[in-house]
Amino acid sequence: MPNRKVVIAGAAFIFIISKQSMSCIVPEVCEAIIKSLKENIKLPKTGSEWIQISNRFDELWNFPHSAGAMDGKHVILEAPTRNIIINFWMSDVKAAFQMVEFLKKLNYIKKLENNSLRLPAPEALQGRNKVVPYVFVGDSAFPLQNNIMKPYPGEYPKGSPRRIFNYRLSRARKIVENVFGITASVFRVLRKPMLLQPKTVETIVMAIAHLHNFLRNTDSSKNLYAPPGSLDSDQNGRLCEGSWRRDCEMSSLLPLNNVPRRAVSTAKQIRDEFNDYFMNEGTVSWQNTYC
């Protein structure tokens, strides 16, 4: 049986094609997929489109003003290359990719700073007076910024405000964890380190992201690609884990490292406003039970 880590050699073995030919075919096919399906990964273009996503996030995950969930992974390459590519994926509420970028091309921070993402104008949370921006929810690997919310660092007592905020944010991020899980469970090339050049790996990962969105957004394929029960679901605050968590081992997709960063005071104030909202106007009956 061919070694699963050796992607090109394994495919050449299966299809009885020389490794030299397969090394040309794989990137060309992936580039054709990206070109053909390019419309399947796109950011909202207007404030009203962002608000639609935000409303669905609030409806499904009880986190208002959320424009999406953020995550990033190290894609591990096998020796002799030994390079690590860091890719950044941003998901919407339907478990589809909004944006996929690699470290050397990463510019989402600039897009947030110059508002080229065209997020809606800041406004107060329901029943509140303080104006806050629309935000993306991320984990501790991301910087706390005006448009990026991350957990409070440290451990907190059960039922405490900061623990409840961290629970509510983590719950809203489950959607992007599902994106990584489903792609790795279906596209098994992501399960093991790849013996390929970094540029080829970038092309393969981008093709997978486009295929994921196409399959998730097409009526005839979405239930075959991700059958009912494969994604995490929520029942009154109780997490029901999707089947991908039992089926998938991702040794090639590793979490980003947590890097301590000093946040600006306005970002801390925005997080505190969300925190206070979750303890008052935005409280849900089961949050003390599960956090």
Side-chain angles (χ1 to χ4, degrees):
M1 181 176 290
N3 189 331
R4 288 185 298 173
K5 296 181 180 179
V6 186
V7 178
I8 297 298
F13 177 87
I14 293 170
F15 295 105
I16 317 177
I17 299 174
S18 70
K19 289 186 289 185
Q20 292 79 8
S21 297
M22 187 60 70
S23 65
C24 296
I25 292 171
V26 169
E28 288 178 3
V29 171
C30 288
E31 289 170 1
I33 290 172
I34 294 168
K35 183 178 180 180
S36 299
L37 302 181
K38 62 182 179 181
E39 293 301 315
N40 284 272
I41 294 183
K42 56 184 179 180
L43 290 165
K45 296 181 180 180
T46 64
S48 61
E49 291 179 353
W50 284 112
I51 289 175
Q52 290 178 14
I53 292 175
S54 174
N55 289 341
R56 285 292 288 164
F57 255 100
D58 193 15
E59 177 184 345
L60 294 176
W61 300 107
N62 305 103
F63 202 105
H65 277 220
S66 177
M70 307 169 71
D71 203 356
K73 298 291 183 183
H74 295 280
V75 180
I76 307 301
L77 308 189
E78 185 60 85
T81 307
R82 293 191 180 278
N83 287 343
I84 296 177
I85 298 174
I86 300 177
N87 65 306
F88 160 78
W89 297 3
M90 189 156 59
S91 171
D92 66 13
V93 74
K94 297 184 294 184
F97 296 114
Q98 294 171 309
M99 180 188 297
V100 180
E101 295 186 332
F102 294 92
L103 180 61
K104 64 184 180 182
K105 305 171 184 176
L106 210 58
N107 59 8
Y108 74 94
I109 293 293
K110 292 182 180 179
K111 290 181 179 180
L112 286 173
E113 290 175 346
N114 61 25
N115 198 31
S116 62
L117 293 182
R118 300 178 182 176
L119 293 174
E123 56 184 346
L125 298 169
Q126 186 173 7
R128 308 283 293 182
N129 295 318
K130 183 178 177 62
V131 172
V132 294
Y134 283 77
V135 300
F136 295 94
V137 292
D139 62 13
S140 298
F142 290 92
L144 178 66
Q145 296 189 341
N146 290 355
N147 294 108
I148 301 176
M149 292 291 101
K150 62 182 289 186
Y152 287 100
E155 298 291 333
Y156 301 96
K158 182 177 175 62
S160 62
R162 290 192 172 189
R163 179 162 175 153
I164 287 175
F165 173 87
N166 288 354
Y167 162 72
R168 297 280 293 266
L169 183 140
S170 174
R171 185 169 171 271
R173 283 194 66 258
K174 293 296 182 185
I175 196 68
V176 74
E177 294 178 10
N178 279 261
V179 171
F180 279 112
I182 289 294
T183 51
S185 66
V186 174
F187 300 98
R188 300 195 174 200
V189 68
L190 296 176
R191 292 194 180 190
K192 297 291 182 178
M194 303 185 206
L195 183 56
L196 296 170
Q197 293 299 316
K199 179 61 178 176
T200 304
V201 174
E202 289 186 17
T203 304
I204 290 173
V205 170
M206 285 297 295
I208 288 173
H210 283 78
L211 282 170
H212 169 87
N213 276 19
F214 172 76
L215 294 170
R216 283 285 297 158
N217 295 329
T218 304
D219 291 336
S220 60
S221 62
K222 61 183 180 182
N223 287 331
L224 294 173
Y225 175 66
S230 57
L231 299 174
D232 292 344
S233 60
D234 185 276
Q235 297 180 357
N236 295 324
R238 183 174 66 87
L239 176 66
C240 300
E241 292 189 343
S243 60
W244 69 264
R245 294 187 183 272
R246 299 186 295 273
D247 301 337
C248 184
E249 295 181 5
M250 293 185 290
S251 61
S252 182
L253 294 177
L254 301 181
L256 299 183
N257 297 326
N258 294 344
V259 179
R261 300 177 176 92
R262 184 178 298 275
V264 296
S265 59
T266 53
K268 293 180 179 180
Q269 292 168 10
I270 292 168
R271 183 168 61 182
D272 289 343
E273 174 65 10
F274 275 98
N275 189 7
D276 196 47
Y277 171 80
F278 291 146
M279 295 300 297
N280 294 283
E281 293 86 352
T283 188
V284 288
S285 59
W286 34 258
Q287 65 186 25
N288 288 322
T289 302
Y290 295 107
C291 72

